[in-house]
Amino acid sequence: RKVKKEREMVFRLHPSFQSSRCKQSVQPREKLDDGKRKHKEHEVKAVAVSIVQALASGSTRARVVDLEEAREESHTKRHHADKQEHQELPRQDDRCKPPLAAAAWPIRRLPAQPATVRTAQAERAVPDEELAALAPVHVIRHALPRELADQLLVELLRESLDAWAASSWVVHGKEFTTPRTSAIYEFRELKGLGSTERATASSFPKSNVCSSTDVADGHGREESRARCEPSAALHRAATIMQTLVRERRPQTNWEPTLALGNRYENGRACVGWHSDFLNSLGPRPIIVGLSLGSCRRFCLRRTARDDESSPTHAEAMVASIPMPHNTAVIMWDDCQEEWQHSVPRQADSTIGKHPLAGHVRLSLTFRMSRPELARHQKSCHCGRPSALKSKAGRYYLACSPMGASKQCSFWEPCSWAQEEAERLRQRMKLEVLHALPLQGPAQAGCISPLGGPSPCPPHTTHKLYAGQENQTSTMSTGRPASAAGTDAISAMFFEVSDDDG
Ligand SMILES: O=C(O)CCC(=O)C(=O)O
Ligand SMILES: [Fe+2]
């Protein structure tokens, strides 16, 4: 009875058993002789047990991954068994061949492209350019020269094993550890150098000496992290990231001052939905993520704003971007405010392996810290620096769990950040107006997540403009933006808030 019960469960879980047409593919089992039938039942039981064990163990996410793996395994076994069975037995129904069941459940490695967008209605592939109009991100393939990307990968694969560390925190007396290791690289030595000087400087430190102490993140003291010295290759990469940003937004003064490295050992290593800590970055920061090694998904989802009636309105969507080796994603200033990002767990069999790194993925997120924000730092009830974050367009301070042995209930809105965010939105509007001839929303190039023109989302309008190659502006940075960098691009993407008119 137990075997029968488990078999029923496998049948329920396995889609190849769910189609009534395919039910016939299991009919021939009745004709098996006793020995074979027992063998078969034993096999089905083993699969059922692995699924039950997967369900019984671990967190919800672990269950999903384990279940996926168990399903893949069960599918492979089932497929081989079916194949054998059909060779031995006369086919009852030609329309229900085993390959049909196989096709229903393929084991798929994550392809390097394209990105996909999922809404309540459907999921579809979107080219990178279209994604930039749907979400405040820009995907750049082959971001670094190939040799530099490979050199950085080799360096960091070694260094991350030696010196990067997981962070931990305690909630209700229980200790949690990040399912990945990380470290901070600060580009101290380059402060004050222009980007051309940065690119050619030969005085960069060559050593990769790391100290794995629990040093808080600069002025913001956001998280406890290992700290490492950036190599010449990493400095070069930072300079290139800066160029990539400025080519797309010539008016920005963005200059990376630190990079946060993350090592994802396998499909279980992940980072859940979040927006980044903003203590040392300030409101509406630009953050650039560079992927090295294996190809994992980087996902984005929009969080509803306070003033939106329903979080499940039509524009709710999740974008999933495969990030193969040497792909960069620029998260523009809306991204930490109204969006969350994640690197979800994946079954190892779906990871796009890298010839050198295997399943390991490294990411570097380049950020610009602003020392002047230290004066805004406020302590929580535990006496530790509170964390500045934004959700759904609202800025707040809260007790940060990272590196702490306990948490307090401190939470309050952050008015200076809210006001500064508003000023930055206004400035962005001026930059757009300054850089471009006026265009009404009708010409703005809004694209619906499911394709075709659509009314623009109520709060964020992603506008596609023709290239403004010779545009020079001193408006936001107080210094002329380089026009040379923009010559190469044919189009620029800006997003401005509809609130700004
Ligand atoms: O690994 C990535 O691409 C994302 C990492 C991230 O979101 C973070 O460190 O805050
Ligand atoms: Fe993040």
Side-chain angles (χ1 to χ4, degrees), residues 42-331:
H42 182 76
E43 195 178 77
V44 170
K45 187 185 168 190
V47 174
V49 167
S50 67
I51 291 175
V52 171
Q53 279 170 350
L55 285 168
S57 68
S59 66
T60 320
R61 279 193 195 141
R63 279 182 224 159
V64 172
V65 175
D66 289 344
L67 192 55
E68 270 174 18
E69 278 167 1
R71 278 170 169 175
E72 280 166 9
E73 199 184 314
S74 101
H75 161 69
T76 316
K77 280 185 183 167
R78 180 79 219 134
H79 178 53
H80 289 313
D82 277 356
K83 216 168 147 187
Q84 236 178 10
E85 201 169 82
H86 277 258
Q87 274 163 6
E88 288 165 15
L89 296 161
R91 278 188 200 139
Q92 296 208 327
D93 182 352
D94 248 7
R95 287 171 309 160
C96 194
K97 296 170 195 161
L100 193 69
W105 210 336
I107 300 169
R108 275 185 301 150
R109 282 206 185 281
L110 183 63
Q113 291 202 47
T116 57
V117 163
R118 181 159 48 81
T119 63
Q121 294 88 41
E123 182 168 16
R124 72 178 180 92
V126 288
D128 293 343
E129 311 78 56
E130 194 183 329
L131 184 67
L134 295 171
V137 288
H138 219 117
V139 179
I140 301 158
R141 313 270 163 189
H142 314 292
L144 301 178
R146 197 178 149 172
E147 311 73 55
L148 179 59
D150 293 348
Q151 186 191 339
L152 205 52
L153 174 64
V154 171
E155 268 179 20
L156 294 179
L157 274 176
R158 197 185 47 233
E159 185 158 275
S160 56
L161 268 186
D162 295 345
W164 297 14
S167 306
S168 60
W169 68 100
V170 175
V171 179
H172 300 309
K174 195 169 173 212
E175 184 167 2
F176 294 87
T177 309
T178 49
R180 59 188 185 283
T181 57
S182 45
I184 287 180
Y185 291 84
E186 209 173 348
F187 307 118
R188 267 184 296 260
E189 295 78 4
L190 299 176
K191 267 268 165 233
L193 291 183
S195 54
T196 334
E197 290 160 281
R198 281 183 172 209
T200 54
S202 56
S203 58
F204 295 143
K206 291 271 184 310
S207 84
N208 287 342
V209 181
C210 296
S211 59
S212 189
T213 48
D214 252 10
V215 188
D217 179 20
H219 351 278
R221 312 195 122 246
E222 288 165 357
E223 293 176 31
S224 303
R225 301 273 189 202
R227 269 178 189 259
C228 296
E229 278 303 316
S231 66
L234 185 47
H235 278 104
R236 270 187 69 205
T239 308
I240 291 169
M241 294 303 125
Q242 181 178 22
T243 309
L244 292 175
V245 167
R246 291 197 180 186
E247 277 174 358
R248 284 156 183 83
R249 218 176 252 180
Q251 288 90 352
T252 186
N253 63 350
W254 190 78
E255 181 174 358
T257 59
L258 62 93
L260 171 61
N262 279 303
R263 179 183 171 114
Y264 303 84
E265 196 63 34
N266 51 37
R268 287 175 191 278
C270 63
V271 57
W273 287 114
H274 70 283
S275 62
D276 291 347
F277 287 93
L278 301 175
N279 295 58
S280 62
L281 312 179
R284 296 179 65 76
I286 292 172
I287 296 175
V288 184
L290 173 68
S291 266
L292 300 170
S294 72
C295 179
R296 294 279 301 263
R297 278 193 195 95
F298 179 79
C299 295
L300 288 153
R301 73 175 180 194
R302 190 168 172 275
T303 53
R305 287 172 61 118
D306 284 356
D307 45 359
E308 272 170 7
S309 52
S310 160
T312 56
H313 59 75
E315 65 181 288
M317 69 169 217
V318 178
S320 166
I321 311 167
M323 298 283 285
H325 179 57
N326 200 13
T327 301
V329 61
I330 304 178
M331 290 189 268

Side-chain angles (χ1 to χ4, degrees), residues 25-42:
S25 72
V26 299
Q27 290 305 319
R29 185 176 288 113
E30 308 309 323
K31 296 187 181 172
L32 292 174
D33 64 40
D34 238 25
K36 274 189 183 158
R37 191 174 54 80
K38 275 211 177 103
H39 175 75
K40 198 103 186 90
E41 283 194 347
H42 182 76

